[in-house]
Each structure stands twice: as C-alpha cells, then as structure tokens.
Amino acid sequence: SDLVYPAPTLQDPPNESPVPWQSTVVLEWSAVGELAEDEYYHLHMERRPAVEGEDWYGDYSYTKGTSYLAELSFLVPFHLVADGGEATVYWWVRVVRKTGEDENGKPTGIDIGLHSEERTLILEARPD
C-alpha cells in the first residue's frame, strides 16, 4: 500500500484528558497537506476491554478538517455504565482514500497515510 501522507500530529486534547458524562470533546490535529477530493482524515476511537468479558467498542469519522467535534451521540456508547467505572478511549488519526460506503452509509476506505500517535481520553462512567 502506498502511504503518501505523513502521520498527523495530534494537538488537542492532551493525553488522558477527562471527558465528563454528557459533555462533548473537540479533537484536533495538524494538517499533512492538501487532500484530494476523495481523501479524508480518518479519526478513530476505541475502548479496549479493561477486564475479561468487557466489550470492545470503536467508532470513526471521516472529515476534511483538522478537528472533529465528538458529539454526545458519538460519545455515549464509549462511556461504561456506572459500575464499570471510567473508560479509557484511544484515539488517533490517519489519511484515507474513500472507496465506498457500508450498508449504514458510513464511509469506507483504505489507508494512504501513516497513523498518528495514540492518545487517550478518560470517559466518566454513565450514571445509572
């Protein structure tokens, strides 16, 4: 695969930033050049199982900009239920070429840039 773009540099928020329940968060990174019409920044977020039996959860968004507002609807599934405690969510950015859409209309593509570093967000548990 041809990785034609360097890794974006993550800017905000800093590593291990707390995200209160029912708040939004703006994720920001550096531009890596002029993107072609079918090229996007792919922001990926995932919650990895902290204990045996806990579910992995991930989501992503394609954007032309160098920031992404993670709205409540995007963030809610990342929060663990009250007795699960805080959730550590990893996020990183890379450039992709959009090749289509999945059955839900979400864009799909192939990597054409190096991954940024990973940072974490610490999401407060949802109240009962």
Side-chain angles (χ1 to χ4, degrees), residues 28-98:
E28 298 181 35
W29 55 90
S30 64
V32 296
E34 284 291 316
L35 301 185
E37 196 173 326
D38 61 348
E39 296 173 354
Y40 296 82
Y41 292 103
H42 178 296
L43 165 76
H44 179 87
M45 286 176 62
E46 68 179 44
R47 185 188 72 220
R48 298 168 185 166
V51 293
E52 191 69 33
E54 196 174 279
D55 288 340
W56 179 93
Y57 179 76
D59 202 355
Y60 66 90
S61 185
Y62 280 27
T63 178
K64 287 289 193 181
T66 54
S67 67
Y68 178 73
L69 171 61
E71 307 252 18
L72 289 181
S73 58
F74 186 88
L75 288 176
V76 161
F78 285 100
H79 289 264
L80 292 172
V81 292
D83 60 1
E86 294 177 333
T88 299
V89 175
Y90 296 81
W91 67 282
W92 65 88
V93 180
R94 61 189 183 270
V95 177
V96 294
R97 177 176 297 116
K98 181 180 172 181

Side-chain angles (χ1 to χ4, degrees), residues 1-30:
S1 61
D2 299 324
L3 299 180
V4 294
Y5 289 98
T9 301
L10 303 185
Q11 290 177 335
D12 258 343
N15 207 31
E16 296 185 3
S17 286
V19 180
W21 173 241
Q22 291 195 317
S23 68
T24 59
V25 60
V26 178
L27 305 165
E28 298 181 35
W29 55 90
S30 64

